[in-house]
């Protein structure tokens, strides 16, 4: 098995025997799509004679069901099941969804019997895990850039073509040629190719003559009217075989289609946090975001989601009749979405209970009035303390998180002088780091500075008590306020903004005195994100309450995105004391790399 990039590897786990009845296959996690009878029968016979040599990789289920999800080894699981085995040897690791996908990719892409179609789906997932970085993906997989591009091209092939490729009914050359055709044409040609045994070279010549209806174009076809590749200008040559306007230049048609799709991507990128093509994501990795219904997240959570970097749009990129269509809003973080759906359902159940309904009605409010949208009420100075939401917070754009760091640093440093636990905690952090790097048992959880411990100790011992206390305080101050990009923090896992954020959140530091709303903070968000902030702060209610307020608000929201932040900040709204929920609940580790 070839050596893969360690960044795809999963953490070590524990080995042991496990009943087969406790192991389930999670849909969409296995890069392998086909299980051919002959190789599977050989594996069954091998396990019958020699036993299961390589254990299955499993992880605990986190969906409330007892048992384990299979991470890698579905062929072995099928073989053991066919042999009537009741328990198997497994390696158990506590992996999240992302780590599980990486582990499955690592094992399956190291095997030689994956079909090119299965490699294409695995490559798509690997690119997704690498944040769209194709160069990094090719390096991690040990592929050349050209092989990666060739496999990604197959993602525009129809499901039937990919399945035929996985089953060995056609060659990869057939699939690559068919992938450039409309999906209906792919499926129509597939049966003929298999039935007549059409070779790749013959198909290449036949594909040259296939024309594409201009009526299916998603780009401006004005110039096509006088193009020599337009069959409508050559009707006498094609007779009744080709009626209407068709394009004979597939390369040009494809290029203009891709340009139109990319133009949509660029335009949508100003509106929402994530914009992807349907060929770039597994369909099981995203879900439409709705307010109501079984998969609804509720209005308050939906408004918060609009500012999330995972709130986005999907552009259909396959020529299947939906080419160029846009679906929005889409949530691209299924785990967070599930939490929000569960939180909303719990809220609905609580609101429906008669005993709870009275508690949720404010004094003096009409019967039945709910406070479910309290998070979107107008901001009026220091807000009342509310119960923390059970769902995960929205993931802010990286540019917005970068602008949160100074407020966290200042608030943390204020706590540093008010609470002796801060200095002691930071001291323990650094001491355990020194112990861990020295290999002392029990100090694995610590982390700290990069200087040699003996040099630091020698310098500190030369100072008197007052100077030592002052340096200790200064070191703690530096640890919270230093630039995360500085060299002294580039070789370990201590990041000042991360510590500052955790400190403020744990001790409930007052960000309202440190955070300042600015044009830059608003501009760091998408248009949807800005709208979400206006609702959360009560800006929309404030503006609409003015003379001709509705008209003013509509005019404001009609501005270009680039003009909107300055217009909002110049409106005269009192932002002092307002701290967005996205700032208060930002994940500390999300500051890493910003």
């Amino acid at each position: 098995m070839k050596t893969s990039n360690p960044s795809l590897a999963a953490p070590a786990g524990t080995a042991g025997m496990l009943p087969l009845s406790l192991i389930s296959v999670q849909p969409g996690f296995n890069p392998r799509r086909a299980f051919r009878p002959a190789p599977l029968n050989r594996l069954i016979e091998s396990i019958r004679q020699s036993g299961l040599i390589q254990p299955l990789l499993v992880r605990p289920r986190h969906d409330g069901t007892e048992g384990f999800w299979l991470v890698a080894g579905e062929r072995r699981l099928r073989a053991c099941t066919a042999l009537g085995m009741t328990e198997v040897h497994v390696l158990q690791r506590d992996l999240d969804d992302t780590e599980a996908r990486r582990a499955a990719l690592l094992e399956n892409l190291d095997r030689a019997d994956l079909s090119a179609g299965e490699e294409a789906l695995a490559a798509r997932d690997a690119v997704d895990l690498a944040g769209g970085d194709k160069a990094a993906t090719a390096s991690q997989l040990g592929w050349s850039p050209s092989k990666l591009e060739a496999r990604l091209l197959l993602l525009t092939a129809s499901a039937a073509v990919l399945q035929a490729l996985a089953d060995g009914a056609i060659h990869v050359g057939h699939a690559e040629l068919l992938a450039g055709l409309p999906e209906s044409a792919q499926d129509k040609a597939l049966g003929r190719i298999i039935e007549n045994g059409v070779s790749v070279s013959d198909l290449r010549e036949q594909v040259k003559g296939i024309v594409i209806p201009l009526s299916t174009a998603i780009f401006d076809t004005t110039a096509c009217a006088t193009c020599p590749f337009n069959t409508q200008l050559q009707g006498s040559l094609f007779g009744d075989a080709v009626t209407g306007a068709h394009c004979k230049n597939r390369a040009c048609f494809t290029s203009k289609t891709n340009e139109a799709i990319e133009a949509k991507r660029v335009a949508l990128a100003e509106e929402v946090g994530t914009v992807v093509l349907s060929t770039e994501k597994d369909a099981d990795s995203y879900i439409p975001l709705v307010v109501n219904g079984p998969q609804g997240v509720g209005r308050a959570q939906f408004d918060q989601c609009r500012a999330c970097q995972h709130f986005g749009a999907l552009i259909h990129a396959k020529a299947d009749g939906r080419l160029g269509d846009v679906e929005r809003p889409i949530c691209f973080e299924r785990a967070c979405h599930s939490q929000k759906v569960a939180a909303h359902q719990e809220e609905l159940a609580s609101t429906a209970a008669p005993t709870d309904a009275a508690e949720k009605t404010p004094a003096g409010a009409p019967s039945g009035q709910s406070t479910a949208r309290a998070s979107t009420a107008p901001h009026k100075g220091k807000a009342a303390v509310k119960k923390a939401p059970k769902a995960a917070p929205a993931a802010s754009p990286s540019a917005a998180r970068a602008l949160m760091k100074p407020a966290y640093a200042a608030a943390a440093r204020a706590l540093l002088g008010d609470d002796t636990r801060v200095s002691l905690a930071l001291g323990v952090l650094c001491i355990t780091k020194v112990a861990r790097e020295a290999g002392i048992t029990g100090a694995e959880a610590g982390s700290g500075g990069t200087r040699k411990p003996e040099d630091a100790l020698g310098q500190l011992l030369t100072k008197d008590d007052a100077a030592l206390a002052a340096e200790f305080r200064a070191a703690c101050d530096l640890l919270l306020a230093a630039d995360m990009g500085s060299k002294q923090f580039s070789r370990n896992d201590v990041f000042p903004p991360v510590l500052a954020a955790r400190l403020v959140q744990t001790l409930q530091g007052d960000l309202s005195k440190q955070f300042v709303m600015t044009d830059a903070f608003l501009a760091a968000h998408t248009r949807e994100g800005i709208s979400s902030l206006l609702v959360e702060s009560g800006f929309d209610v404030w503006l609409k309450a003015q003379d001709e307020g509705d008209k003013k608000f509509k005019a404001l929201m009609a501005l270009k995105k680039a003009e909107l932040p300055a217009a909002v900040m110049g409106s005269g709204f009192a932002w002092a004391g307002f701290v967005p929920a996205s700032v208060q609940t930002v994940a500390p580790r999300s500051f890493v790399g910003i």
Side-chain angles (χ1 to χ4, degrees), residues 159-292:
V161 170
L162 288 178
Q163 189 61 53
L165 182 59
D167 294 338
I170 60 174
H171 298 297
V172 64
H174 290 115
E176 288 176 343
L177 290 168
L178 291 173
L181 302 177
E183 192 160 272
S184 58
Q186 292 184 42
D187 293 344
K188 182 177 180 180
L190 178 63
R192 182 176 55 82
I193 292 169
I194 297 174
E195 181 180 352
N196 300 327
V198 178
S199 67
V200 173
S201 58
D202 287 344
L203 180 61
R204 182 177 291 108
E205 292 303 314
Q206 294 173 16
V207 164
K208 291 179 181 179
I210 295 180
V211 295
I212 306 173
L214 282 173
S215 60
T216 64
I218 61 171
F219 52 85
D220 184 357
T221 59
T222 301
C224 300
T226 57
C227 177
F229 291 101
N230 185 341
T231 60
Q232 200 166 41
L233 301 179
Q234 303 168 332
S236 60
L237 297 178
F238 288 87
D240 295 332
V242 178
T243 58
H246 292 69
C247 176
K248 295 193 301 175
N249 190 337
R250 286 196 304 115
C252 178
F253 191 94
T254 300
S255 176
K256 289 184 176 181
T257 298
N258 292 339
E259 289 175 3
I261 288 177
E262 284 304 312
K264 285 191 177 186
R265 191 203 291 260
V266 170
L268 286 167
E270 282 208 347
E271 301 290 330
V272 295
T274 298
V275 184
V276 300
L277 307 185
S278 59
T279 54
E280 296 173 342
K281 285 275 191 180
D282 187 328
D284 292 328
S285 69
Y286 54 83
I287 188 169
L289 188 66
V290 296
V291 175
N292 302 313

Side-chain angles (χ1 to χ4, degrees), residues 538-551:
F539 177 98
D540 59 338
V541 175
W542 169 81
L543 184 58
K544 290 177 181 178
Q546 299 179 21
D547 291 338
E548 297 186 329
D550 286 334
K551 183 178 180 180

Side-chain angles (χ1 to χ4, degrees), residues 29-44:
F29 270 70
N30 191 352
R32 188 183 300 279
R33 273 17 184 213
F35 297 88
R36 300 172 192 168
L40 183 60
N41 289 335
R42 288 195 296 270
L43 179 59
I44 291 173

Side-chain angles (χ1 to χ4, degrees), residues 284-580:
D284 292 328
S285 69
Y286 54 83
I287 188 169
L289 188 66
V290 296
V291 175
N292 302 313
Q295 293 298 312
V297 299
R299 171 54 61 184
Q301 290 191 133
F302 181 89
D303 285 338
Q304 290 183 0
C305 289
R306 292 163 63 194
C308 180
Q309 67 179 13
H310 302 301
F311 177 94
L314 181 79
I315 304 175
H316 286 276
K318 297 180 71 172
D320 57 1
R322 296 180 297 171
L323 181 66
D325 288 353
V326 175
E327 287 187 48
R328 61 181 287 193
I330 299 289
C331 174
F332 290 99
E333 184 53 63
R334 291 294 298 264
C336 176
H337 180 271
S338 297
Q339 287 180 273
K340 291 189 183 299
V341 170
H344 179 52
Q345 291 301 320
E346 184 175 337
E347 180 186 25
L348 290 177
S350 176
T351 305
T355 55
D356 291 344
E359 296 177 5
K360 289 181 175 291
T361 303
S367 176
Q369 180 173 316
S370 172
T371 59
R373 289 198 60 183
S375 62
T376 62
H379 168 68
K380 298 179 180 178
K382 191 170 183 179
V385 177
K386 300 184 182 67
K387 185 177 179 181
K390 296 180 181 179
S396 300
S398 60
R401 295 199 300 275
L403 294 166
M404 300 176 194
K405 293 192 294 183
Y408 265 102
R413 291 163 68 189
L415 286 170
L416 188 61
D418 297 337
D419 195 329
T420 57
R421 293 176 300 164
V422 177
S423 296
L424 289 174
L426 292 171
V428 170
L429 183 70
C430 295
I431 291 169
T432 53
K433 174 66 174 180
V434 172
R436 180 167 67 88
E437 292 185 345
I440 298 175
T441 304
E444 292 79 4
S447 59
T450 61
R451 293 190 301 173
K452 292 182 179 179
E454 61 270 27
D455 293 343
L457 179 62
Q459 291 179 9
L460 291 171
L461 289 176
T462 63
K463 302 179 183 298
D464 59 29
D465 289 350
L468 184 60
E471 181 148 341
F472 181 74
R473 172 68 166 74
C476 292
D477 190 286
L478 176 65
L479 192 59
L480 291 173
D483 183 2
M484 191 165 61
S486 299
K487 292 182 179 179
Q488 64 263 35
F489 297 106
S490 63
R491 296 183 181 179
N492 60 36
D493 53 356
V494 173
F495 300 97
V498 175
L499 299 180
R502 179 62 72 202
L503 176 58
V504 173
Q505 290 177 349
T506 301
L507 298 183
Q508 299 181 8
D510 188 2
L511 283 168
S512 65
K513 297 179 181 179
Q514 311 294 345
F515 177 82
V516 179
M517 180 62 71
T518 63
D519 298 21
F521 186 82
L522 288 175
H525 291 76
T526 62
R527 177 180 288 276
E528 288 280 1
I530 295 173
S531 297
S532 174
L533 289 170
L534 299 186
V535 171
E536 182 185 355
S537 65
F539 177 98
D540 59 338
V541 175
W542 169 81
L543 184 58
K544 290 177 181 178
Q546 299 179 21
D547 291 338
E548 297 186 329
D550 286 334
K551 183 178 180 180
K552 291 179 180 178
F553 187 79
K554 289 180 181 179
L556 183 71
M557 299 311 295
L559 293 175
K560 294 181 179 179
K561 192 259 183 179
E563 302 170 341
L564 188 55
V568 169
M569 295 306 298
S571 65
F573 181 69
W575 291 97
F578 170 66
V579 183

